[in-house]
Amino acid sequence: MKSWRSRITAGLVVGAAAIAIPLTATSAVASPPPGSGWHVAGGMTYDSKGQCEAEELSNAQHNGYDEVWCDGPGGRAEYTVWVR
């Protein structure tokens, strides 16, 4: 029969793992591009980063922004659109 000390230790290890694993396995939160003043403007699926930035630039300029930066994995994917 296990001692209470080993049962408590095992319980703490299992509890810590149950908390740590979901925290480390969550998806990454989009971080802004280098520099200051960037704001998330939305996101959509585009064929490339270049297409995203080219299509979103006129929308950004229409709303008073000068720059667009698209964050995504590359290729056809969903991109996060940042403006400043």
Side-chain angles (χ1 to χ4, degrees), residues 2 4 6 11 14 21 24-25 28-29 33 35 40-41 46 48 52 54-57 66-67 71 75 78 84:
K2 290 186 175 186
W4 280 105
S6 63
V14 170
I21 291 171
T24 58
V29 175
V40 173
Y46 295 95
S48 67
C52 173
E55 289 186 16
E56 292 297 333
L57 183 58
D66 298 322
E67 296 179 81
D71 182 25
E78 187 169 321
R84 75 170 172 181

Side-chain angles (χ1 to χ4, degrees), residues 1-11:
M1 185 171 188
K2 290 186 175 186
S3 70
W4 280 105
R5 175 182 272 176
S6 63
R7 288 180 187 202
I8 291 172
T9 302

Side-chain angles (χ1 to χ4, degrees), residues 7-82:
R7 288 180 187 202
I8 291 172
T9 302
L12 290 174
V13 169
V14 170
I19 293 170
I21 291 171
L23 291 177
T24 58
T26 58
S27 62
V29 175
S31 59
S36 62
W38 291 96
H39 305 282
V40 173
M44 268 181 84
T45 301
Y46 295 95
D47 290 330
S48 67
K49 178 178 170 60
Q51 178 195 14
C52 173
E53 292 173 347
E55 289 186 16
E56 292 297 333
L57 183 58
S58 64
N59 292 334
Q61 290 172 338
H62 179 73
N63 290 304
Y65 296 100
D66 298 322
E67 296 179 81
V68 172
W69 190 79
C70 293
D71 182 25
R76 180 155 180 80
E78 187 169 321
Y79 288 84
T80 302
V81 181
W82 293 84

